[in-house]
Amino acid sequence: MKKIFKYLLLSITTLSITSCASGYKSIEPKTVYYNSTATDKDVIVAYEYNVLSKKYYRKENRKDIRVASLKITNNSDKDLVFGKDLILVNRDQKELDLVANTLVYEQLKQPFLIYILYLLATPLKITTYDSVDDDFVSDESTEDSNIPIGLILGPGITGINMVKAGTANNRFKKELNHYNLTGKTIKKGTTAYGIIGIKGNSFQALAIKVVE
């Protein structure tokens, strides 16, 4: 019984170590410390890159998408619509190639069906040998037993990773939807926060342009 307990403990430990899915750390644009700002006609934009973490950050690099958190303050005397009255430009005043938040999600979300491959570990067994009597040595002095640790490892690792990836993706998608600025009206005298995706692999200096 003690040996079985040890193997179960080993299985649980292995399960936690080999878990590959990552959680999602919320960006929360309202709490971000913004180092960079730009102004045009009484409208101020503050922005910050490198707001994603773990697997989402690594996929951001591979997919040539830069995700940024924005803070836009409208100090003008009229309401402005992002994407129509307000556009983001680079330092050469060229409009940036923004990636729709729905596409940002599709490109950067964690895959979770791949973890089904862990089910291949289900048939895994460990054979143990217990001495029958230390006073006798013979071919029959040991008995073996098979511990089906794969029944824990296979479904366990698969389930944990799929649930973890799915939960993280849902949080990521929910935050992208909540902070989607496209078509959002920023009323005069107010501040709006958002998350955007920019096509490209460089950290471009951003500026805001009020379209008249």
Side-chain angles (χ1 to χ4, degrees):
M1 182 62 70
K2 289 183 178 180
K3 287 189 176 183
I4 293 177
F5 176 76
K6 288 181 180 179
Y7 284 118
L8 289 176
L9 183 60
L10 175 62
S11 299
I12 295 173
T13 302
T14 305
L15 183 65
S16 62
I17 293 175
T18 56
S19 180
C20 294
S22 72
Y24 173 70
K25 183 179 179 181
S26 298
I27 297 172
E28 298 182 6
K30 291 183 179 180
T31 66
V32 171
Y33 180 78
Y34 295 94
N35 288 298
S36 305
T37 61
T39 305
D40 184 46
K41 298 182 178 66
D42 297 321
V43 177
I44 305 170
V45 61
Y47 61 94
E48 192 69 25
Y49 288 107
N50 290 327
V51 290
L52 292 178
S53 61
K54 299 180 180 179
K55 286 199 168 185
Y56 297 96
Y57 171 76
R58 292 193 289 272
K59 290 199 71 174
E60 179 184 12
N61 289 327
R62 294 198 300 269
K63 297 294 184 177
D64 288 338
I65 295 175
R66 293 301 176 190
V67 174
S69 179
L70 296 184
K71 174 184 177 181
I72 301 176
T73 302
N74 181 8
N75 291 324
S76 70
D77 58 359
K78 59 183 178 180
D79 299 344
L80 300 169
V81 178
F82 186 85
K84 178 182 177 183
D85 307 313
L86 293 175
I87 60 174
L88 291 175
V89 297
N90 59 22
R91 63 179 58 190
D92 297 322
Q93 294 298 298
K94 182 180 179 181
E95 185 173 358
L96 294 176
D97 186 8
L98 299 186
V99 181
N101 280 18
T102 52
L103 185 57
V104 170
Y105 171 74
E106 291 298 328
Q107 291 291 309
L108 304 186
K109 68 180 180 180
Q110 294 185 67
F112 62 91
L113 290 179
I114 191 173
Y115 298 118
I116 291 177
L117 293 176
Y118 279 121
L119 290 176
L120 295 175
T122 301
L124 183 63
K125 296 180 180 180
I126 289 182
T127 301
T128 62
Y129 299 91
D130 296 320
S131 176
V132 176
D133 192 336
D134 292 337
D135 295 332
F136 296 95
V137 179
S138 69
D139 293 340
E140 298 179 353
S141 64
T142 61
E143 59 181 7
D144 61 313
S145 59
N146 293 317
I147 309 298
I149 65 170
L151 294 177
I152 298 176
L153 292 179
I157 295 176
T158 299
I160 285 179
N161 278 283
M162 291 184 72
V163 170
K164 189 174 183 179
T167 300
N169 284 339
N170 286 337
R171 292 183 61 196
F172 181 42
K173 184 177 183 178
K174 184 177 180 180
E175 187 167 44
L176 287 174
N177 290 337
H178 183 71
Y179 287 103
N180 185 9
L181 285 172
T182 302
K184 181 180 179 63
T185 298
I186 305 175
K187 295 185 177 297
K188 58 184 180 181
T190 66
T191 297
Y193 296 86
I195 298 172
I196 62 166
I198 304 170
K199 187 64 178 176
N201 56 14
S202 62
F203 297 99
Q204 302 184 62
L206 306 186
I208 195 81
K209 183 177 181 179
V210 179
V211 180
E212 298 181 331

